[in-house]
Amino acid sequence: MSTIIDRLSEGKFTLIAEIGVNYYDIAVKENITPMEAAKLMIKEAKGAGIHAVKFQTYKAGTLAAKASPSYWDLSEESTTSQYELFQKFDSFGYEEYKELKEYSDEIGIEFLSTAFDFESADYLDELMEVYKISSSDLSNLPFIEYQAKKNKPILLSIGASELEEIERAVDTISAQNDKQLTLLHCVLEYPTPLEHANLLKIKALKEQFPELIIGYSDHTKPTESNDIIKTAYNLGAICIEKHFTLDKTLKGNDHYHAMDPDDARRILRDIEVIDMIRGEETLKCLDTEKTARLNARRSIVANVDISEGTVITEDMLTFKRPGTGISPYRISEIVGKKAATNILEDTILTEDMITE
């Protein structure tokens, strides 16, 4: 069973902590092993109420050529070669991810990892219920097809994409796989300035792909207000993936634009408030409005004394609160009928006062 898929199928907000490879730096800071650090981060994510944790599985030699240039903020991560950066964080393999999967199951949080090569896509298959495909592989249709053939739900990030590229990737997946597909809007700037978040792309994705679930992979720096996440959610992104750290002050890699456990708690709290104030998508009077409705609405009221047997004319009537009598919308039904009894001025008309 997948917490992610169950929640998304029910339209519930789902928060994924992208641990990635941040545990290596946490290990150095805390003077513990990378495995201990990874487990610590999983535990902290679970404690914050996060629904799933995601790692990144790769080997530098299969991911980037040695001449691959950097594309991140060099003031935060000074390594100028992708190959050199990825070499620092590629020591885990099947056994390590299996241990992390088992630990995640033990404490009750979903585990998944983005595969960046065919070998990891194969061995991760038995360890997770959902595949996550990186924006960097959006045009890598052979690799997308390979993962789609695993016949599991897919989260597909679509950063730095054109519509035709998204359509090709979606068509490639759909040709092999009928499981749930979620598109994650994201911006490939690390960090993403708030003015570049381009959140209306979420709305465009919902209109272009109405049959798919839409989410957002966020690379902006966390703020107290969580305006980015809240706006994304209100625009229809029910799945949010965000990098996760235990120390946002750490230099390098993905700490500087990550959420920490307190940020995650605040995000989840703010989404609960949004869900509360959204209410239900129905057009009806709320139960809590009924008393006010009764007293604030108007009734047909006698504007003069009306003797029993008198034919009622419109000038004999007015409209006043409360709404406990005959509603003004029925005025045409009352005019032309007779008073069944003597009606004093300022009396709220009721059915028993009217006769044919």
Side-chain angles (χ1 to χ4, degrees):
M1 296 294 290
S2 167
T3 299
I4 295 172
I5 299 308
D6 288 348
R7 292 185 65 86
L8 294 182
S9 296
E10 296 173 11
K12 293 180 179 178
F13 179 81
T14 304
L15 182 61
I16 301 171
E18 164 71 287
I19 293 175
V21 293
N22 277 348
Y23 55 92
Y24 285 95
D25 296 322
I26 299 298
V28 172
K29 180 193 173 189
E30 300 294 334
N31 194 28
I32 56 179
T33 67
M35 178 59 71
E36 290 170 330
K39 288 182 177 179
L40 175 61
M41 295 186 74
I42 294 171
K43 180 181 178 182
E44 291 291 336
K46 171 65 177 178
I50 292 168
H51 304 112
V53 289
K54 191 184 79 65
F55 292 83
Q56 295 177 7
T57 302
Y58 56 74
K59 294 297 180 184
T62 62
L63 180 56
K66 292 180 179 179
S68 296
S70 63
Y71 57 92
W72 45 78
D73 185 345
L74 291 175
S75 68
E76 297 285 358
E77 170 53 67
S78 60
T79 308
T80 58
S81 160
Q82 292 183 54
Y83 177 80
E84 290 178 10
L85 180 67
F86 297 144
Q87 262 197 321
K88 299 177 184 179
F89 308 115
D90 72 351
S91 67
F92 277 20
Y94 168 74
E95 292 298 335
E96 288 80 11
Y97 289 113
K98 182 174 183 288
E99 187 172 339
L100 293 179
K101 158 68 173 174
E102 291 170 350
Y103 180 72
S104 298
D105 287 349
E106 179 184 322
I107 68 171
I109 189 169
E110 185 165 0
F111 166 91
L112 67 156
S113 185
T114 299
F116 284 92
D117 53 57
F118 292 94
E119 180 184 359
S120 59
D122 282 340
Y123 72 65
L124 286 169
D125 186 24
E126 70 177 76
L127 304 180
M128 58 191 196
E129 300 299 323
V130 181
Y131 272 84
K132 165 65 196 296
I133 299 176
S134 164
S135 295
S136 61
D137 279 317
L138 187 66
S139 61
N140 189 355
L141 297 185
F143 191 41
I144 288 178
E145 181 180 53
Y146 190 80
Q147 293 177 86
K149 286 181 177 179
K150 302 294 185 182
N151 203 34
K152 290 184 176 177
I154 289 175
L155 307 175
L156 175 65
S157 281
I158 54 168
S161 62
E162 302 292 344
L163 175 58
E164 59 268 24
E165 293 178 305
I166 303 171
E167 290 175 332
R168 282 197 297 265
V170 169
D171 289 345
T172 299
I173 292 169
S174 299
Q176 305 295 334
N177 185 326
D178 63 357
K179 298 297 190 293
Q180 182 175 291
L181 173 58
T182 300
L183 300 182
L184 301 180
H185 162 52
C186 76
V187 177
L188 292 191
E189 286 186 78
Y190 302 86
T192 302
L194 297 185
E195 62 270 24
H196 294 177
N198 195 32
L199 294 181
L200 282 176
K201 188 172 182 178
I202 294 166
K203 181 181 177 184
L205 287 168
K206 286 181 68 67
E207 293 171 353
Q208 188 71 33
F209 302 97
E211 74 283 7
L212 303 183
I213 292 173
I214 305 302
Y216 174 52
S217 182
D218 182 37
H219 297 141
T220 65
K221 290 184 176 182
T223 63
E224 286 291 324
S225 66
N226 289 318
D227 284 342
I228 290 288
I229 302 297
K230 290 188 293 188
T231 301
Y233 182 56
N234 278 326
L235 287 170
I238 61 173
C239 181
I240 300 293
E241 176 190 79
K242 189 163 180 61
H243 284 272
F244 184 67
T245 184
L246 303 184
D247 186 351
K248 293 185 289 187
T249 68
L250 288 176
K251 285 286 185 182
N253 212 43
D254 293 319
H255 300 282
Y256 54 92
H257 56 86
M259 64 179 173
D260 64 17
D262 287 338
D263 293 319
R265 290 185 183 94
R266 198 164 54 249
I267 288 168
L268 291 166
R269 180 203 65 204
D270 287 353
I271 296 300
E272 284 185 2
V273 172
I274 289 174
D275 282 338
M276 176 187 69
I277 63 180
R278 277 181 170 184
E280 299 177 3
E281 197 172 345
T282 55
L283 300 175
K284 66 177 184 179
C285 172
L286 298 175
D287 290 342
T288 53
E289 296 178 294
K290 287 182 178 177
T291 298
R293 168 192 169 99
L294 190 65
N295 288 289
R297 293 288 177 90
R298 301 196 190 204
S299 299
I300 299 174
V301 174
N303 200 32
V304 294
D305 291 339
I306 305 173
S307 300
E308 181 179 351
T310 301
V311 175
I312 298 172
T313 58
E314 191 166 349
D315 61 351
M316 297 177 183
L317 306 174
T318 189
F319 315 107
K320 295 184 181 181
R321 296 182 180 186
T324 53
I326 299 173
S327 175
Y329 83 85
R330 295 179 58 198
I331 183 69
S332 62
E333 299 175 26
I334 304 305
V335 172
K337 291 186 178 177
K338 295 179 181 178
T341 185
N342 291 326
I343 304 172
L344 298 178
E345 179 187 354
D346 206 39
T347 297
I348 296 170
L349 269 60
T350 56
E351 300 289 346
D352 60 331
M353 298 177 186
I354 309 300
T355 186
E356 296 293 336

